Amino acid sequence: MSSIETNAPPPAPTSASPSAPPSSLASNALSALEAFGQSLAATGPTIAIAGTVPVIFLSAGTGTLYALLAGTVIVLLVADALAVDALERDRAGQDPVAELRLLREAGLPALLIPRRFGGAGQGWRTALAVVREIARADGSIAQLLGYHYVNLDNLWLAAGLEAQERYGRPSADAQWLWGDAVNPIDPDLKLTPNPDGDGYRLDGTKTFATGASTGDVVLTSGEVTGTGEQLLLVVPHDAPGLTFGQDWDNLGQRLSASGGVTFDGVEILPEQVIASLGKEDTTPRSSLITPVIQAVFGHLYLGIAEGALAAARAYTRGTSRPWVLSGLASATEDPYRLADYGDLAARLTATAALADRVAGHVQSAADRGPELTWEERGELAVEVAALKVVSTDVALDTTAKVFELTGARATANRHGFDRFWRNVRTHTLHDPVSYKRREVGDHYLNGTLPEFTLYT
């Protein structure tokens, strides 16, 4: 345990809690954070300089550190550590134990938890910026963290005070990571009431259960046999009858722990039910979960694309050779290459501006609380859909174009430029972007607002 968490209790003893040591690069990042932690313990909140970047370190009351840059929590040391060995870890395809330990040590899981429960008390504007920053280095870990934020936020969007206290405080104290098993395309999980009327048994299988196998708890939902009521549930990672398929073997996002999960007679106590998902219980605020996760997608794609272009720039500056017919001394002087870099950089800049605006509107909607209207929620959903469209296009284009910018030698596997495209190509298939185009077009032409679903 590093001194970053000297005032915090240890993580809950689940099989997902990291036990293996992090990589040497991650250890270096943790050592740097630990040094800041020791300084903080001696002097209180301080302003430090990390390279040329001013970073403010604060304590959230549990000894956890949060790095705030212009109001945005960014653990630059974490992103740097993930970036250096991202290719090697992608190829190894192991469970991201060390990576998630790094997130916990940096205090990122408790980012959205209100201060009264021991968290950092930050909002979605900050959380989305963190996802984007981590995605520049490692798309898989950014996905895990972004999904965690969405899953955890159900406590504040849909659950009551009792559930917030029961799950919010240990989530902050032990830096819990929340996985999920809620794929709406799969058959519903079944909740069978116990004969004594106290609790349920949960059965069924879900695919694409991001973070379930590596998290501390699993957010899921089930349909009550007999009544058809849909309930939102929290299941401990080590619950008897809960098994993980370990079957995630996809083109990209290889470390996102997105395999299947099976519930076989898993006991569900009444206190594990945190909300009803019935139509009559759904409010504009509780339905924010969909535009919020779609906003995570947009920031994820943008961050991966920014990481790809930055990696290509470094290669062009240091390795690329001028084309033999160009008559130039350096590849960085080639007018065609400059034009291509300029095009992608301009498009990423424009997408970033839209992403920042969306993040601000997500935060504003969350701040409205119970006063949020369905119309306001619908307008937000349309703007998020626009970000999804634009970020998908620019990310796919950028991650493919980097090969033209870097040249034939850059296709050598040791450079790993393909991982950016593989990650974007895999995740952008989550839900068809054509339907997002339609939503934006229907609103522009007819003023139609999308109805609430788990995709809109």
Side-chain angles (χ1 to χ4, degrees):
M1 182 68 65
S2 89
S3 65
I4 294 175
E5 295 181 311
T6 50
N7 298 323
T14 73
S15 57
S17 294
S19 56
S23 67
S24 59
L25 291 166
S27 296
N28 291 339
L30 293 178
S31 296
L33 284 171
E34 184 172 302
F36 280 121
Q38 293 170 342
S39 173
L40 178 64
T43 64
T46 60
I47 297 179
I49 299 295
T52 59
V53 181
V55 182
I56 306 172
F57 286 89
L58 303 174
S59 171
T62 63
T64 300
L65 296 183
Y66 300 91
L68 281 81
L69 173 60
T72 299
V73 174
I74 303 175
V75 180
L76 297 172
L77 294 171
V78 171
D80 287 347
L82 291 172
V84 175
D85 63 350
L87 175 59
E88 290 77 8
R89 291 183 292 100
D90 177 82
R91 286 177 174 166
Q94 302 297 314
D95 282 343
V97 174
E99 294 87 342
L100 297 186
R101 180 190 172 200
L102 188 59
L103 298 184
R104 287 183 172 99
E105 292 283 350
L108 289 177
L111 178 68
L112 286 177
I113 299 176
R115 288 190 175 93
R116 66 181 182 275
F117 296 115
Q122 298 300 307
W124 271 106
R125 187 195 298 271
T126 299
L128 291 169
V130 170
V131 170
R132 177 178 162 192
E133 182 71 21
I134 299 299
R136 290 170 178 158
D138 190 321
S140 291
I141 305 308
Q143 178 185 343
L144 277 166
L145 184 60
Y147 279 45
H148 157 76
Y149 288 147
V150 174
N151 298 331
L152 175 65
D153 207 38
N154 278 278
L155 287 180
W156 326 119
L157 296 180
L161 290 175
E162 185 177 348
Q164 292 170 10
E165 180 68 35
R166 175 175 293 109
Y167 293 108
R169 195 167 298 281
S171 292
D173 290 345
Q175 295 296 324
W176 280 3
L177 284 162
W178 287 52
D180 68 70
V182 294
N183 185 0
I185 296 179
D186 289 334
D188 290 331
L189 302 179
K190 298 301 180 182
L191 280 167
T192 304
N194 287 328
D196 61 5
D198 188 21
Y200 306 87
R201 297 287 173 175
L202 181 65
D203 294 278
T205 298
K206 287 288 185 179
T207 57
F208 295 106
T210 296
S213 64
T214 55
D216 298 283
V217 293
V218 180
L219 181 78
T220 190
S221 62
E223 180 184 272
V224 178
T225 302
T227 68
E229 183 182 11
Q230 290 279 346
L231 301 178
L232 190 63
L233 320 166
V234 178
V235 181
H237 176 274
D238 55 358
L242 175 58
T243 58
F244 306 101
Q246 301 295 337
D247 52 357
W248 181 249
D249 183 26
N250 287 43
L251 178 71
Q253 296 298 90
R254 292 176 175 174
L255 301 185
S256 65
S258 294
V261 58
T262 297
F263 301 85
D264 185 8
V266 175
E267 182 179 8
I268 302 298
L269 301 176
E271 56 265 30
Q272 291 175 245
V273 178
I274 64 171
S276 172
L277 299 178
K279 188 173 182 180
E280 67 279 3
D281 298 309
T282 302
T283 67
R285 177 172 174 76
S286 67
S287 75
L288 279 179
I289 207 66
T290 304
V292 163
I293 196 168
Q294 291 285 331
V296 167
F297 297 169
H299 284 75
L300 174 67
Y301 305 157
L302 174 59
I304 294 173
E306 290 173 328
L309 195 61
R313 177 179 59 189
Y315 184 93
T316 299
R317 287 174 171 175
T319 305
S320 292
R321 300 184 297 185
W323 179 235
V324 65
L325 301 180
S326 69
L328 299 171
S330 171
T332 60
E333 299 173 357
D334 188 291
Y336 301 107
R337 186 175 269 120
L338 293 175
D340 286 341
Y341 268 110
D343 175 65
L344 293 176
R347 293 173 62 192
L348 286 174
T349 299
T351 305
L354 176 58
D356 290 343
R357 189 175 79 174
V358 165
H361 289 172
V362 168
Q363 185 61 57
S364 296
D367 290 342
R368 290 272 288 148
E371 301 302 316
L372 184 73
T373 68
W374 280 111
E375 182 177 3
E376 291 169 336
R377 187 266 184 202
E379 293 288 347
L380 173 64
V382 171
E383 188 172 59
V384 171
L387 174 62
K388 174 77 174 291
V389 170
V390 173
S391 62
T392 296
D393 289 348
V394 74
L396 288 172
D397 289 349
T398 300
T399 55
K401 190 79 172 181
V402 292
F403 292 101
E404 297 178 35
L405 298 174
T406 52
R409 295 175 185 270
T411 63
N413 285 329
R414 67 179 181 275
H415 300 302
F417 284 108
D418 62 300
R419 71 181 175 89
F420 298 105
W421 178 84
R422 287 188 290 101
N423 287 342
V424 168
R425 179 66 284 176
T426 297
H427 199 283
T428 53
L429 298 174
H430 177 277
D431 55 290
V433 72
S434 295
Y435 282 79
K436 294 301 175 190
R437 299 185 202 278
R438 187 196 68 177
E439 291 167 22
V440 175
D442 197 12
H443 177 261
Y444 182 80
L445 188 62
N446 302 311
T448 305
L449 296 176
E451 295 183 5
F452 165 58
T453 72
L454 288 181
Y455 289 104
T456 59

